[in-house]
Amino acid sequence: MHQRALQGYVKALDLTSIFDTANLLGLLYAAKGKLDEAEKMYQLALQGKEKAWGPDHESALDTVNNLGTLYRGQGRLDEAETMHQRVLQRSEKTLGPDHESTLFTVNNLGLLYKDQGKLDEAEEMYQRALQGFEKAQGPDHTLTLDPVNNLGTLYMDQGKLSEAERMYQRALQGKEKAWGPDHITTLDTVNNLGILYQGQGRLDRAEEMYQRALQGKEKAWGPDHTSTLETVNNLGSLYQDQGKLDKAEKMFQRALQGFEETWSPDHPSTLATVYNFGHLYKSLGKPQEAEKMYQWELRGREKTFGPDHTSTLGTVDNLGIFYMCYGKLDEAEKMHQRALQGKESVWGPDHTSTLATVNNVGDVYVCMGKLAEAEKMYRRALQGYEKACGPDHTSTLKTVGGLGGLYKCQGKLGEAEEMYLRELKGYEKACGPDHTSTLNAVNNLGSLYAVQGKLDEAENMYQRALLGLEKACGPDSTLTLNTVDNLGNLYRFQGKLDKAEKAYQRALQGFKACGPGYISTLTTVNNLGILYVDQGKLGEAEEMYQQALQGLEKTLGPDHPATLEAANNLGSLYQSQGKLDEAEEMYQWALHGFEKALGPDHTSTLNAVDNLGLLYADEGKLGEAENMYQRALHGYEKAWGPDHTSTLDTVNNLGLLYADQGKPDAEKMYRRALQGYEKALGPDHTSTLNIVNNLGSLYADQGKLDKAGTMYQRALQGFEKARGPDHPLTLNTVDNFGLLYKSQGKLDEAEEMYLRALQGKERAWGPGHTSTLNTVNNLGSLYADQGKLDEAETMYQRALQGFEKARGPDHPSTLNAVDNFGLLYKSQGKLDKAEEMYQRALRGKEKAWGPEHTSTLTTVSNLGSLYCSQGKLDEGKKTYQQALQGYEKTLGLENVATYRPALDTIRSLGDLFAAQGHLDEAKEMYSRAFTGFQALLGPSSDQCQHLANSLASLDATKGKRNILSVSFAYIV
């Protein structure tokens, strides 16, 4: 239409009309997103007007102003400022500072300064325009209300939400009075109020505003008008925040179809809806569809605005966030670096949009394990935001929260708490105590308190967040359900397993609305698997882990960190089930995936290395286990430092390994871990107490029973205080006390401890849980020592049947119970039955672990003891020697010298040689055992005293046969 008019005016040589029509065409092209064509029309109009009327003519300045607005939309902010400043100077000179046209330009400069991040200058312009219009037109004139509305938007960007609401309400009341409640300008302000309320987390009020705006626009303009569609798009965004994803998708679909039909697939309004679709698909766990949307948006903006336009760079930044969420960290870094370089070039290094990208780069570096680089990015963003926006602006607080998360990862828990508290106080001041951002900060504090072992404080935080989110977003919002899931994790950590299961089930039911591939759904499924492991429901746990793994693999791909973590969890389950080959397959998948995705030194890679170490230790591959632990330890020390809790976890694992091998370095490892935990988490944290408990077990094995008792007492008091008398950690320590009292010969006290542990575990986990059965097994051993052989058999029978049911007939725990039955039958003189039990245990262990695993060799040694009792001395000798050679091959000669089961076998061989009259061989064995026990337990230990007597007896006989009937069998 305008094009025909222009051709007609050219024919008539009516220059005024030609230039006005060119100007109108420029406006039309700009509205359609055809920015190059718009610029050509404006330039044509401007050149003609300047030539016809001069550069200071009001009509020429109108076109200059339009060019400035166009340049602002293109991100050419310096050129836009030049245009607006030219118009302002000419208007002030020609028309005066308070003229209506001058004030329009002042208002436009405010819009420009806002885009440039010069918020103080923007406010100054808006205030000048407002005061000018108030003076010229009055406080309620429609011209006055425009800068009022703009001030509301500025205050919202500054985080001054109360001031923003006052401005919008003033604009709304004025427009309702001047034009009525259904005028399109009134409805624009209603829409802005909806945006404000959504940002404040007042989602019900936001929906009320959007619905009013939508109904009014549909009535005024029809359902397919672009302004109507803008509000439809906003409603979709609100529904997504509310967790109403089906309704959100319908809104986005309507908006997208409408924009495509009215404008084009590459129009900015279309592309804004395309972005929302991408964000929705990401939330729904549809990464392929999400990436298609983000790529569509990027191509459209590059085509419309060019590759370096700020709008394009914003899309590049969003793609980086998407790639980070899906574990494509190299692609994420490339996107963010491109966005950062572009924004620094256009806006400078300190613009708030530049700083947002700096913050995003920090997020990626955290995921990549580049924590020093991440801190530099966060610090740069924080200093920039504090300078540009103030210390309490929401953008500043977002970076403060990021720093808190970084410090938490680094184990700097004091610094993390300082950041999280600052974040919380800032949001409470800026947004109020019930805003979703405030509640997210509350959630962050809860997660930190859980790590610190402040479980009551953590629960208070999670409950506050949950109540607030239920009120703000509804009980089924994804934000609410994520908090429910957090509570489930806390309850599991507290040993409140029934409450944990209820929380997980609630979260899972709520997430079902988002679809089975939704990431949060799969996370909760995985958490349920962990819970079922704790409850001893290994079949249900495997089902959950398989579901989570398959879902994550389908949604995120096999090499995504979340998929690899699920594979790792399945490996841990298989390990606990005794399916060691399947466990290694899962661990290797996780390790290779992390190495490929994150590099060999990333902390997630090192976690997988550590887990392989645990598996190799279980398999008796002690050399391979130590190699894995040492690799993990060196990596953690490099990445986190020597005192980080992850580093200390691996130090503890090395301590356990060395303790099993009888290496004196075990105490050194435990001591290092203990000092580190005390420094990092405090003396009463449960992780600290676990190390105390391990030290107690080490001292007990070394025969340092008083020191063991001191450690156990500290651990028990700490666990009772931190978790209560019936928590599993408390009860495990009670169990250890029973073992200690048994070693001290305090059998009544031992029974009291075992019964307390048994009753507590039955109450917490049920009679068939594997931890309960371990205590049942211990009671059986105690009753055997007390000579209560019938009660012992009852306990062993219960333990064996329980393990067979829970873990299968060939699981290591089952086979250990079988081994103990062999010991009992031997004590009862039922030697054939004992041999039957030992042979079953031996076959199972050889199948599960191989013939040279330390647990297999223990059973071999027990068989040797049985053969001696049966008078089969040659078979006994052969069997003992098989066990000893196996220990030497598996552990190495140096480690065998202080390995308790090997020393018991050596002593038993000495007894056998003495019984056979081979006194030189007996002396060699006794001497070797004495040296080992002296190093391990000290010269005053019962074992050393017994061996000293045996050696003296050999010397006294001087060649006389002194038949000894003592043989040793090792209790599992």
Side-chain angles (χ1 to χ4, degrees):
M1 188 73 182
H2 288 291
Q3 194 70 271
R4 287 176 56 195
L6 181 61
Q7 293 166 357
Y9 289 134
V10 170
K11 260 188 170 179
L13 297 177
D14 184 344
L15 296 178
T16 303
S17 298
I18 290 172
F19 303 141
D20 285 342
T21 302
N23 192 67
L24 289 172
L25 265 174
L27 290 169
L28 177 64
Y29 286 143
K32 285 188 168 187
K34 300 179 178 180
L35 304 187
D36 292 337
E37 292 91 331
E39 185 175 4
K40 289 175 184 176
M41 290 297 104
Y42 287 148
Q43 290 289 3
L44 174 62
L46 179 59
Q47 291 166 10
K49 290 179 180 182
E50 286 180 327
K51 185 175 181 181
W53 300 305
D56 296 331
H57 190 274
E58 187 174 350
S59 181
L61 294 176
D62 282 342
T63 302
V64 172
N65 194 61
N66 289 341
L67 261 173
T69 302
L70 176 71
Y71 290 150
R72 183 170 68 87
Q74 291 176 312
R76 297 157 64 181
L77 303 186
D78 292 339
E79 294 171 76
E81 186 171 4
T82 300
M83 292 294 108
H84 288 319
Q85 287 287 4
R86 173 182 165 184
V87 175
L88 181 59
Q89 291 167 8
R90 301 290 172 85
S91 293
E92 286 178 327
K93 179 181 176 183
T94 307
L95 304 172
D98 297 324
H99 190 273
E100 182 179 298
S101 295
T102 305
L103 296 174
F104 273 130
T105 302
V106 168
N107 191 63
N108 285 340
L109 263 173
L111 294 168
L112 174 68
Y113 288 147
K114 177 175 169 290
D115 286 351
Q116 290 175 318
K118 302 175 181 176
L119 303 188
D120 291 338
E121 292 91 329
E123 184 171 5
E124 184 181 342
M125 291 295 106
Y126 289 149
Q127 289 288 2
R128 176 180 166 185
L130 176 59
Q131 292 165 11
F133 281 127
E134 284 180 326
K135 181 179 178 182
Q137 307 288 353
D140 297 324
H141 193 276
T142 54
L143 293 177
T144 307
L145 299 175
D146 281 339
V148 169
N149 192 71
N150 290 340
L151 270 170
T153 303
L154 176 69
Y155 289 147
M156 187 163 65
D157 285 351
Q158 290 175 319
K160 302 175 181 177
L161 303 186
S162 298
E163 293 92 325
E165 185 172 5
R166 280 200 298 272
M167 290 294 109
Y168 282 147
Q169 288 290 2
R170 175 182 168 184
L172 179 60
Q173 291 166 8
K175 290 179 180 183
E176 286 178 326
K177 182 178 178 181
W179 283 318
D182 297 324
H183 190 274
I184 53 175
T185 306
T186 306
L187 297 173
D188 283 339
T189 301
V190 170
N191 189 71
N192 286 344
L193 265 172
I195 295 171
L196 174 69
Y197 290 145
Q198 186 177 351
Q200 290 176 318
R202 299 159 66 184
L203 302 187
D204 291 341
R205 289 285 287 141
E207 185 172 3
E208 183 183 333
M209 291 296 106
Y210 287 146
Q211 289 289 4
R212 175 183 166 184
L214 179 59
Q215 291 165 10
K217 290 180 179 183
E218 286 178 326
K219 182 178 178 182
W221 278 328
D224 299 322
H225 189 275
T226 55
S227 183
T228 306
L229 297 173
E230 293 287 356
T231 301
V232 169
N233 193 51
N234 289 343
L235 250 179
S237 175
L238 175 70
Y239 287 147
Q240 185 170 352
D241 284 354
Q242 291 174 322
K244 303 173 182 176
L245 302 187
D246 290 340
K247 296 179 79 171
E249 188 168 7
K250 289 177 183 176
M251 291 293 107
F252 291 147
Q253 193 65 52
R254 174 182 166 185
L256 182 59
Q257 290 172 354
F259 283 132
E260 283 188 300
E261 290 175 8
T262 304
W263 295 125
S264 71
D266 299 324
H267 188 274
S269 295
T270 308
L271 297 174
T273 306
V274 168
Y275 164 75
N276 284 341
F277 249 125
H279 190 54
L280 176 67
Y281 285 144
K282 181 161 76 78
S283 298
L284 287 168
K286 299 179 179 179
Q288 291 83 10
E289 293 90 332
E291 187 170 6
K292 286 178 185 176
M293 292 292 113
Y294 289 136
Q295 291 287 1
W296 174 357
E297 183 195 10
L298 180 58
R299 288 192 301 271
R301 294 195 186 278
E302 286 179 326
K303 179 180 178 182
T304 303
F305 298 117
D308 300 320
H309 187 272
T310 54
S311 178
T312 306
L313 297 173
T315 302
V316 170
D317 223 6
N318 290 334
L319 251 178
I321 294 171
F322 168 76
Y323 286 143
M324 182 183 70
C325 289
Y326 285 91
K328 300 179 179 179
L329 301 184
D330 290 337
E331 293 94 324
E333 185 178 9
K334 287 176 186 174
M335 291 292 108
H336 287 319
Q337 289 291 359
R338 174 184 164 184
L340 180 58
Q341 292 166 10
K343 290 181 179 183
E344 286 178 326
S345 176
V346 173
W347 277 325
D350 299 322
H351 189 276
T352 54
S353 184
T354 307
L355 297 172
T357 303
V358 169
N359 193 76
N360 290 340
V361 173
D363 291 342
V364 173
Y365 284 154
V366 169
C367 292
M368 297 174 84
K370 300 178 179 178
L371 303 188
E373 294 93 326
E375 187 168 3
K376 287 179 185 175
M377 291 293 108
Y378 286 144
R379 283 289 172 193
R380 175 183 164 186
L382 181 59
Q383 291 166 5
Y385 279 131
E386 287 177 327
K387 182 178 178 182
C389 306
D392 297 323
H393 190 272
T394 53
S395 296
T396 309
L397 298 172
K398 181 183 177 184
T399 302
V400 168
L403 262 173
L406 173 67
Y407 290 145
K408 184 176 144 195
C409 285
Q410 291 175 318
K412 301 176 180 177
L413 303 187
E415 292 93 325
E417 186 170 4
E418 182 183 342
M419 290 295 108
Y420 282 149
L421 284 171
R422 175 180 169 186
E423 178 194 24
L424 177 58
K425 292 173 184 174
Y427 278 125
E428 286 177 326
K429 180 180 177 183
C431 306
D434 299 321
H435 188 272
T436 52
S437 295
T438 307
L439 298 172
N440 183 61
V442 170
N443 234 330
N444 287 341
L445 257 180
S447 71
L448 177 67
Y449 288 149
V451 171
Q452 291 175 316
K454 302 175 181 177
L455 303 189
D456 291 339
E457 293 92 326
E459 186 170 1
N460 289 339
M461 290 294 107
Y462 285 146
Q463 288 289 2
R464 174 184 166 185
L466 179 59
L467 293 172
L469 290 167
E470 285 178 326
K471 181 179 178 182
C473 307
D476 298 322
S477 164
T478 53
L479 291 174
T480 306
L481 296 172
N482 282 330
T483 303
V484 171
D485 197 58
N486 287 343
L487 261 174
N489 292 335
L490 178 67
Y491 289 146
R492 180 171 58 80
F493 202 52
Q494 291 173 317
K496 302 174 181 176
L497 303 188
D498 290 340
K499 294 182 77 172
E501 186 167 6
K502 287 178 183 176
Y504 288 145
Q505 290 291 0
R506 174 185 166 185
L508 190 58
Q509 290 299 320
F511 284 135
K512 277 185 178 178
C514 305
Y518 187 55
I519 302 302
S520 293
T521 305
L522 298 171
T523 299
T524 303
V525 168
N526 187 70
N527 288 341
L528 257 175
I530 297 172
L531 175 70
Y532 288 148
V533 169
D534 288 348
Q535 291 174 323
K537 302 175 181 176
L538 301 189
E540 293 92 326
E542 185 171 358
E543 183 182 340
M544 291 296 105
Y545 283 150
Q546 288 283 8
Q547 182 181 334
L549 180 59
Q550 291 166 7
L552 290 166
E553 192 175 7
K554 181 179 179 181
T555 301
L556 302 175
D559 297 325
H560 188 277
T563 308
L564 299 172
E565 288 292 350
N568 193 66
N569 286 344
L570 196 54
S572 177
L573 175 67
Y574 287 148
Q575 185 177 347
S576 68
Q577 291 174 318
K579 302 175 181 178
L580 302 187
D581 291 339
E582 293 92 328
E584 184 165 5
E585 182 183 346
M586 290 295 108
Y587 286 149
Q588 290 288 2
W589 174 6
L591 177 59
H592 295 323
F594 281 128
E595 286 179 325
K596 179 181 176 182
L598 304 173
D601 299 323
H602 190 276
T603 53
S604 293
T605 308
L606 298 173
N607 287 339
V609 169
D610 211 28
N611 287 336
L612 262 174
L614 291 168
L615 176 67
Y616 290 149
D618 273 359
E619 290 178 321
K621 301 175 181 177
L622 304 187
E624 292 93 325
E626 185 170 5
N627 289 340
M628 290 294 107
Y629 289 148
Q630 289 290 359
R631 175 183 166 185
L633 180 60
H634 295 325
Y636 283 133
E637 287 178 327
K638 182 179 177 182
W640 297 121
D643 298 323
H644 190 274
T645 53
S646 292
T647 308
L648 299 172
D649 285 340
T650 302
V651 170
N652 180 61
N653 287 342
L654 267 170
L656 291 167
L657 179 69
Y658 292 152
D660 285 345
Q661 293 174 314
K663 289 185 175 181
D665 285 344
E667 185 172 2
K668 178 181 174 184
M669 292 294 108
Y670 287 147
R671 284 289 175 191
R672 175 182 166 185
L674 179 59
Q675 291 167 6
Y677 279 124
E678 287 177 327
K679 180 180 177 183
L681 302 174
D684 299 323
H685 191 275
T686 54
S687 294
T688 308
L689 298 172
N690 279 329
I691 307 298
V692 171
N693 198 54
N694 288 344
L695 259 174
S697 297
L698 177 67
Y699 290 145
D701 287 345
Q702 292 175 334
K704 301 173 183 177
L705 302 186
D706 290 340
K707 294 180 77 171
T710 301
M711 291 294 108
Y712 286 149
Q713 192 63 47
R714 175 182 167 186
L716 181 58
Q717 291 172 355
F719 283 132
E720 286 179 326
K721 181 180 178 183
R723 299 289 176 85
D726 296 323
H727 190 274
L729 289 173
T730 308
L731 297 173
N732 285 337
T733 306
V734 170
D735 228 347
N736 286 342
F737 252 120
L739 291 168
L740 176 66
Y741 287 146
K742 180 170 173 282
S743 299
Q744 292 173 320
K746 301 176 181 178
L747 302 189
D748 291 339
E749 291 91 330
E751 185 173 4
E752 183 182 341
M753 290 293 107
Y754 285 147
L755 286 173
R756 174 185 165 185
L758 180 59
Q759 290 163 7
K761 290 181 180 183
E762 286 178 327
R763 190 163 50 245
W765 281 326
H769 191 275
T770 53
S771 185
T772 307
L773 297 173
N774 284 332
T775 303
V776 169
N777 193 63
N778 289 340
L779 257 175
S781 174
L782 175 69
Y783 289 149
D785 284 357
Q786 290 174 320
K788 303 174 181 177
L789 299 188
D790 290 340
E791 292 92 328
E793 186 169 2
T794 300
M795 290 295 107
Y796 282 148
Q797 192 66 50
R798 175 182 166 185
L800 179 58
Q801 291 172 355
F803 281 127
E804 285 179 325
K805 181 178 179 182
R807 297 199 163 171
D810 298 323
H811 187 273
S813 297
T814 307
L815 298 173
N816 286 336
V818 170
D819 228 345
N820 287 340
F821 246 123
L823 291 171
L824 177 66
Y825 286 146
K826 180 170 173 283
S827 299
Q828 292 173 322
K830 301 175 182 177
L831 301 188
D832 291 340
K833 282 192 169 185
E835 185 172 2
E836 182 183 337
M837 290 293 107
Y838 286 146
Q839 290 290 359
R840 175 185 166 184
L842 182 59
R843 287 193 300 271
K845 291 182 179 184
E846 285 179 328
K847 180 180 178 182
W849 282 325
E852 291 167 354
H853 189 276
T854 53
S855 184
T856 307
L857 297 171
T858 297
T859 302
V860 170
S861 190
N862 286 345
L863 256 177
S865 173
L866 177 67
Y867 290 147
C868 290
S869 297
Q870 291 173 322
K872 303 174 182 178
L873 300 188
D874 289 339
E875 291 178 63
K877 173 184 172 183
K878 181 180 176 182
T879 306
Y880 279 143
Q881 287 175 333
Q882 177 187 340
L884 181 57
Q885 290 165 6
Y887 285 132
E888 289 172 339
K889 182 176 179 181
T890 299
L891 302 172
L893 285 172
E894 180 184 351
N895 296 325
V896 165
T898 53
Y899 185 58
R900 176 74 180 264
L903 294 175
D904 289 330
T905 300
I906 293 169
R907 186 179 67 178
S908 294
L909 258 175
D911 292 340
L912 176 60
F913 286 141
Q916 291 178 318
H918 302 312
L919 302 187
D920 289 339
E921 291 92 332
K923 184 174 182 180
E924 180 187 349
M925 291 296 108
Y926 285 151
S927 297
R928 185 176 170 187
F930 181 85
T931 302
F933 278 120
Q934 187 177 41
L936 182 64
L937 304 178
S940 61
S941 64
D942 290 342
Q943 287 78 5
C944 285
Q945 293 300 314
H946 173 79
L947 285 162
N949 291 334
S950 296
L951 282 166
S953 178
L954 285 178
D955 290 337
T957 61
K958 295 183 179 181
K960 294 180 181 178
R961 297 189 63 181
N962 182 19
I963 299 175
L964 301 174
S965 60
V966 178
S967 61
F968 183 85
Y970 191 72
I971 298 174
V972 180

